[in-house]
């Protein structure tokens, strides 16, 4: 699965399992929902700069990112990732179509009216000093989005004046299996392990979930509802988790499970929570693939997790802490399992049997950790990051539940489709998460 030069300017490689999964899901929903693609990632960054010509500087930084990380400009053609080295005309056409200055009042107004994208696209909203980045999930993942912002802001603060395209193809992102040197065909033992792991999830869904009309009514508008904890609550939460030797990710995830158990759809008649949580695998890769130099890449994996609906908060946090801390750490064989696991996933979701199953009503959980591990609060002497938000387009499938901390506050982002779920219900679930954390961890704080 390596890149191959097929013409003077065109390079191709087959998608890997996870990229292929996202390509298939995007195509499926696009055909059914007027071109809108499920899993298109969307992130907003609010910033301050002393630059007198922000538009020109931002546009140049976007061009620089394409040169430094050409995977950002790839497209898909028949389950192959494609990159074309641009001449001057092609480069200007790409800039015109993917760098957009919006007259919207703010990013929320922009998001409500965006149209489907063909490639990763950057929007500048000068009225609110915001940038909005949208990209297909087969091009980048959640942590990759944060690393992208770092790379972009580095390019903005330290521009390369003379950029000449032609040699950037040496930096096209390889598959993770290629990086780690794993064979394309796994051993029988590994193949069986990966298949069994996949079916521990695929054979058990849907599990417990809240009320949702997904699969029964037409798709509505994509929404990303945010709930921000105060600094006092966040500080108390982190301290309580440290004292109990549980991870914050485990605590928030456990609270989410208990929230949707409380508000579970009674018609489902399920007793088990079933999910596949997202794991960032960059820490296990060699340089430079573990860094922001390869922000544009899909270097993560989903991993199945189950829990009985009757488990206590304490038992859930213990189980989830072990799950988050030990699923990959010190287990190099799991990195090799990932490759075949995602290939089986890609093949399975395309079968009529899988497509006939009900869509799970719970949200996929993604903990992005501490944002400042990836994005600085300031760049140079004149760029300040004021706020950041990560979400995803939910068009015709599972919702998403992101959480992360930035500027010492915990942020929850629940991505959903308002044709399937009500905004007031989503708000209720996030309020319940905070209430459960406060009660179960005995949080005390001012205010």
């Amino acid at each position: 699965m390596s890149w191959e030069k097929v013409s003077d300017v065109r390079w191709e490689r087959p998608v890997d399992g996870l990229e292929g999964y996202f390509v298939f899901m995007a195509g499926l929903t696009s055909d059914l929902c007027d071109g809108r693609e499920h899993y298109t990632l969307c992130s907003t960054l609010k910033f301050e700069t002393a630059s007198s010509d922000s538009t020109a500087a931002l546009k140049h930084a976007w061009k620089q990112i394409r040169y430094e990380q050409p995977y950002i400009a790839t497209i898909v053609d028949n389950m192959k990732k494609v990159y074309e080295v641009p001449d001057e005309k092609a480069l200007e056409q790409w800039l015109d179509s993917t760098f957009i200055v919006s007259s919207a009042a703010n990013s929320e107004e922009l998001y409500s009216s965006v149209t489907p994208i063909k490639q990763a696209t950057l929007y500048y909203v000068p009225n609110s000093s915001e940038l909005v980045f949208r990209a297909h999930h087969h091009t980048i993942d959640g942590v990759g989005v944060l690393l992208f912002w770092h790379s972009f802001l580095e390019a903005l603060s330290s521009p390369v004046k003379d950029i000449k395209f032609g040699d950037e193809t040496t930096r096209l992102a390889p598959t993770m299996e290629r990086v780690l040197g794993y064979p394309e065909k796994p051993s029988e033992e590994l193949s069986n392990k990966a298949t069994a792991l996949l079916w521990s999830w695929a054979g058990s869904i849907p599990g417990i979930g809240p009320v949702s009309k997904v699969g029964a009514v037409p798709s509505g508008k994509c929404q990303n509802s945010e709930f921000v904890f105060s600094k006092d609550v966040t500080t108390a939460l982190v301290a309580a988790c440290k004292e109990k030797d549980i991870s914050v990710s485990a605590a928030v995830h456990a609270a989410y499970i208990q929230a949707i158990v409380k508000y579970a759809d009674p018609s489902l008649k399920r007793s088990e929570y079933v999910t596949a949580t997202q794991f960032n695998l960059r820490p296990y890769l060699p340089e430079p693939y573990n860094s922001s130099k390869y922000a544009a890449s899909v270097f993560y994996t989903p991993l199945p997790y189950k829990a009985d609906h009757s488990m206590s908060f304490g038992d859930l946090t213990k189980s989830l802490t072990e799950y988050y801390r030990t699923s990959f750490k010190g287990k190099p064989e799991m990195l090799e399992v990932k490759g075949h696991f995602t290939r089986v996933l890609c093949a399975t979701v395309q079968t009529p049997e899988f497509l006939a199953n009900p869509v799970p009503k719970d949200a996929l959980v993604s903990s992005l950790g501490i944002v400042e591990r990836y994005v600085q609060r300031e760049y140079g002497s004149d760029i300040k990051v004021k706020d950041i938000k990560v979400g995803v387009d939910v068009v015709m499938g599972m919702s998403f539940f992101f959480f992360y901390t930035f500027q010492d506050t915990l942020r929850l982002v629940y991505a959903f489709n308002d044709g399937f779920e009500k905004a007031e219900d989503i708000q209720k679930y996030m309020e319940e998460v905070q209430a459960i954390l406060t009660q179960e961890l005995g949080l005390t704080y001012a205010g």
Side-chain angles (χ1 to χ4, degrees), residues 99-106 109-111 113 123-128:
F99 179 78
I100 299 171
V101 180
S102 171
S103 60
N106 52 45
E109 182 180 305
L110 168 69
Y111 186 68
S113 61
Y123 305 80
Y124 174 39
V125 189
N127 288 331
S128 56

Side-chain angles (χ1 to χ4, degrees), residues 209-236:
V211 174
S212 171
K213 296 179 180 178
V214 61
V217 298
S219 177
K221 290 187 176 181
C222 304
Q223 308 284 353
N224 287 279
S225 185
E226 186 178 42
F227 186 93
V228 181
F229 287 43
S230 70
K231 286 187 177 182
D232 287 340
V233 175
T234 303
T235 300

Side-chain angles (χ1 to χ4, degrees), residues 226-356:
E226 186 178 42
F227 186 93
V228 181
F229 287 43
S230 70
K231 286 187 177 182
D232 287 340
V233 175
T234 303
T235 300
L237 169 63
V238 172
C241 289
K242 185 175 182 180
E243 181 181 348
K244 295 178 181 293
D245 192 29
I246 59 175
S247 73
V248 174
S249 294
V252 177
H253 195 162
Y256 172 69
I257 294 172
Q258 293 207 318
I260 63 169
V261 167
K262 178 177 178 178
Y263 293 109
D265 184 344
S267 69
L268 288 177
K269 301 187 186 304
R270 299 288 194 272
S271 62
E272 194 172 42
Y273 171 74
V274 184
T275 192
T277 298
Q278 324 307 304
F279 279 79
N280 171 38
L281 299 180
R282 287 174 177 81
Y284 307 103
L285 302 182
E287 293 183 354
Y289 305 105
N290 61 355
S291 72
S292 60
K293 291 180 179 179
Y294 280 85
S297 58
V298 185
F299 289 159
Y300 89 103
T301 191
L303 189 70
Y305 176 82
K306 294 182 182 180
D308 189 84
H309 78 289
S310 63
M311 286 178 69
S312 68
F313 180 83
D315 287 342
L316 281 170
T317 55
K318 182 179 179 180
S319 170
L320 284 162
T321 294
E322 181 178 5
Y323 169 73
Y324 278 111
R325 288 179 177 172
T326 67
S327 289
F328 288 94
K329 188 174 183 180
K331 297 179 180 178
E333 73 279 2
M334 282 300 295
L335 296 176
E336 189 169 359
V337 167
K338 174 263 177 192
H340 190 60
F341 171 80
T342 55
R343 285 192 290 272
V344 176
L345 169 66
C346 182
T348 299
V349 298
Q350 298 181 58
T351 63
E353 294 79 10
F354 184 89
L355 293 171

Side-chain angles (χ1 to χ4, degrees), residues 395-411:
V395 177
M396 195 181 163
M398 291 184 71
S399 299
F400 251 85
F401 181 57
F402 294 98
F403 52 90
Y404 46 89
T405 60
F406 181 60
Q407 295 182 341
D408 306 315
T409 60
L410 176 65
R411 319 312 184 70

Side-chain angles (χ1 to χ4, degrees), residues 210-213 225 256 259-260 263 414 416 420-432:
V211 174
S212 171
K213 296 179 180 178
S225 185
Y256 172 69
I260 63 169
Y263 293 109
Y414 208 120
F416 66 103
F420 311 141
E421 297 181 274
K422 297 178 180 178
E424 55 265 34
D425 288 339
I426 300 301
Q427 180 69 18
K428 181 171 61 179
Y429 306 153
M430 294 192 289
E431 289 174 353
E432 184 67 19

Side-chain angles (χ1 to χ4, degrees), residues 9 19 23 43 126 152 165 185 193 202 226 293 298 320 371:
V9 298
E19 292 167 340
V23 170
S43 179
F152 180 82
F165 285 83
K185 187 175 182 180
K193 183 174 183 178
E226 186 178 42
K293 291 180 179 179
V298 185
L320 284 162
V371 169

